[in-house]
Amino acid sequence: MKKMTACPLDCFDACSITYEDEKIYATKDGHTQGFLCPHLNHYSSFERVQTPRYKGQEISMQEALEKLKEILDANLKSETLHYRGSGNFGLMQEVTDHFFAQIGATLTNGTLCDGAGEAGIIEGRGSNKNMPIQEIAKSEVVIFWGRNPHTTSSHLLPLIKDKTIIVIDPVKTKIAKSADLFIQIKPHTDMYLAMMLARFLHINDMCDNDFLEEYGNEFEEYYELTQTIRIKSMLENMSVSLGEVGKIIELVKDKKVAIVCGVGIQKYRDGADIMRAIDAFGAALGLFGKEGCGVAYLGSSKAGVESPFTTKAKRVSKVDTAFDEFKTVFIQGANPLSQMPDSLRVTNAMRHTQNVVYFGIYENETSQRADLVIPAKTFLEKEDIRTSYSHNAMLPMPKQSESEVGISEYNLAAYLCNAYEIPIKSESQYIEHFKSFSTLHADSSFRVKEREEIPYKDGFDTDDGEFFFLEEIEIDKGSNKIVLTKNRNKKRKVSKDFHLISPKSPKSLNSQFKRESEVFLHSALEFREGEEIILSSSVGSVTLKVKHNDDLRHDCILIYSGTRGVNNLTSALHSYEGKSAVFQEVKVQISRVE
Ligand SMILES: Nc1nc2c(c(=O)[nH]1)N[C@H]1C(S)=C(S)[C@@H](COP(=O)(O)OP(=O)(O)OC[C@H]3O[C@@H](n4cnc5c(=O)[nH]c(N)nc54)[C@H](O)[C@@H]3O)O[C@H]1N2
Ligand SMILES: Nc1nc2c(c(=O)[nH]1)N[C@H]1C(S)=C(S)[C@@H](COP(=O)(O)OP(=O)(O)OC[C@H]3O[C@@H](n4cnc5c(=O)[nH]c(N)nc54)[C@H](O)[C@@H]3O)O[C@H]1N2
Ligand code: SF4
Ligand SMILES: [Mo]
């Protein structure tokens, strides 16, 4: 019999699926439209951890749970860290926070993902209420700004087929190739482009003045700030022509516009300001509170849903976690040894942690380091429910099949709660609690009650209901020269600083599934395909094989998220606002041994 559930992965689309005869199918209705993606199409072919193990020895699940309790008993609870990643977006993942918070363990805050951009949105609008994909479908012009929809939001594509498409990205992505306008911008210069666009709107009297009068009174001051940018030199710095800026303005004129942003724009320390400048362009066009208009980003998947779990706890950042300050680290749904920035630092810190516990589905760098490995059940083998960060549906995920392998988050938390006499409700009570935040929609899907399809209809959530524009910026002019030199060690060094682009791969979901293993660069840089090169930054280095990609700028190298060693290069600094990782803040040098 066909049963409905949903894909559990960290992905904009949060597809609904059916399960029949041990096979996963896409549902035909809603945005899923009958297709999934490689991750779910091949879900059963990825090998998983079958058996728990302690110090390399296989043990039973009962022994693993007892071992976990023994480890927790042996140390002060304040010396225990619960580090949870985004391997599964089911709301029941948080049930373990409930246990760890209650015993007085430390939890995490900060993010490896979207925090800088979110901080910028909140500063401007007072909240982060997202434009759902169903509204993007009603627009006439879509600007993909640092978002790669063929890879990360493929279910948006059928909804935007006949629209005017503008793409702003340093990489000529698939959508860029068919776009009406593609701007191959220099990385980390988007804030200036956004400011210039607002300035030209004003000059051409194309601002939505009624909107600004009501909700953006400070726009004149912001316009003055945009005038501090010297147009000619900044165009050169961004590698954007005046004609291209003019073309954007022409294409958006009097149209319903959706600016669809991704995390690409904000993997920098000033990511919040960049997002805020893009939002300001949206405000100048009056895109908020209107059908088919808006600025889409990653909303909070938990918006409009209250947690039933106790989560009040001491917290440390996920970006530069001092694992060595804890005796026990319990890692769930995450692969920090690959996905956190500054991998060498993480490896060294975790070397000094007495007990590393890994609770996950797949083998990876972190499971290899762990003392105790506990396999988790897949989403098909446990009860759950999920929400999305890009649409408003709430999708029940009832158990589809039985399996001998692994344990669910609920059962693990229940075991520990019982052992420590901590109250915990039944699994179905928690699922019902989550469901109570949804309501049946006309199209027979459940949607989160409190989320608006068109947010900011009655103004912004700032103190005075108005958009709060950026008030100051720092101008980074940057410099780039390409020189090929031969140094004395016969190390041929391309003495140039390359921008690191570290985006998402179509084959993997961060470090899950089929992971990439190469560095991509433009063939004009004269490295041979297949040759190994050493990439170094001020943080560390990694050796990878070259693959050509002429969709890249000459001043960029691309290493996908999930590639082993990519985060040797990246810095564990935080964004100025939003406590976020900044994976693209570093510059990379290339060398090779002849
Ligand atoms: N297949 C697949 N899907 C995924 C994921 C995955 O790993 N694989 N990961 C999921 C997760 S965790 C997230 S957060 C989302 C993220 O989804 P996206 O936001 O789409 O993710 P990215 O690929 O990191 O970045 C998007 C684009 O930003 C561009 N970019 C990089 N630097 C700049 C810049 O300075 N300026 C501009 N304008 N663009 C820039 C990149 O070239 C890339 O095309 O995807 C989710 N979906
Ligand atoms: N260089 C670079 N680094 C990046 C990024 C980048 O773009 N470039 N992106 C960053 C971003 S946006 C993100 S969100 C992070 C993601 O980083 P992580 O949160 O570490 O995510 P994954 O790499 O997907 O690893 C998730 C692990 O969760 C486990 N898992 C999956 N399902 C379940 C389950 O149901 N239960 C349990 N217990 N475990 C499960 C799997 O074993 C998997 O290995 O990476 C960040 N790191
Ligand atoms: S597109 Fe995203 S939500 Fe849909 S099946 Fe693939 S990973 Fe899951
Ligand atoms: Mo992410």
Side-chain angles (χ1 to χ4, degrees), residues 469-481:
F469 290 94
L470 262 176
E471 287 174 325
E472 54 182 11
I473 53 156
E474 267 177 51
I475 297 195
D476 163 25
K477 295 225 172 57
S479 68
N480 272 301
K481 293 194 298 251

Side-chain angles (χ1 to χ4, degrees), residues 33-229:
Q33 297 205 359
F35 74 97
L36 296 170
C37 72
H39 316 314
L40 265 272
N41 286 337
H42 304 121
Y43 193 73
S44 62
S45 68
F46 299 103
E47 252 177 69
R48 58 193 281 208
V49 185
Q50 296 283 335
T51 318
R53 59 177 190 265
Y54 182 64
K55 306 265 186 209
Q57 295 289 317
E58 289 195 352
I59 53 175
S60 69
M61 184 58 80
Q62 186 56 33
E63 287 166 329
L65 293 174
E66 284 163 15
K67 188 50 112 184
L68 176 59
K69 178 162 184 303
E70 192 186 308
I71 289 171
L72 293 172
D73 279 342
N75 294 304
L76 285 176
K77 303 302 169 274
S78 59
E79 289 172 334
T80 299
L81 172 71
H82 178 41
Y83 186 103
R84 199 157 56 74
S86 56
N88 179 321
F89 252 59
L91 292 166
M92 286 302 285
Q93 286 288 311
E94 210 182 57
V95 66
T96 49
D97 292 26
H98 177 76
F99 165 74
F100 283 102
Q102 295 260 9
I103 61 164
T106 302
L107 272 58
T108 58
N109 59 20
T111 158
L112 301 181
C113 184
D114 59 340
E118 182 180 58
I121 287 180
I122 294 173
E123 275 165 70
R125 307 185 208 162
S127 63
N128 178 17
K129 295 179 179 165
N130 206 23
M131 178 186 195
I133 48 182
Q134 288 79 6
E135 280 304 306
I136 301 173
K138 296 178 193 158
S139 64
E140 294 164 301
V141 179
V142 181
I143 307 180
F144 285 104
W145 203 328
R147 168 94 72 98
N148 182 6
H150 282 86
T151 295
T152 66
S153 358
S154 54
H155 292 85
L156 192 51
L157 297 167
L159 306 179
I160 54 153
K161 260 197 253 141
D162 305 318
K163 305 188 190 301
T164 301
I165 305 290
I166 302 172
V167 176
I168 304 168
D169 202 300
V171 182
K172 192 168 190 183
T173 54
K174 198 160 176 188
I175 189 92
K177 289 177 187 167
S178 60
D180 296 273
L181 177 65
F182 168 47
I183 299 199
Q184 193 158 21
I185 194 167
K186 186 166 118 189
H188 204 178
T189 61
D190 303 273
M191 181 171 71
Y192 311 118
L193 177 60
M195 292 179 76
M196 214 178 268
L197 285 166
R199 177 167 170 186
F200 283 125
L201 281 184
H202 187 277
I203 293 170
N204 291 302
D205 201 17
M206 273 175 59
C207 291
D208 184 334
N209 292 324
D210 293 343
F211 179 85
L212 289 177
E213 218 160 272
E214 208 168 346
Y215 302 118
N217 263 304
E218 307 280 305
F219 183 74
E220 277 303 321
E221 283 82 349
Y222 180 64
Y223 174 65
E224 277 171 33
L225 184 70
T226 67
Q227 285 178 308
T228 59
I229 294 175

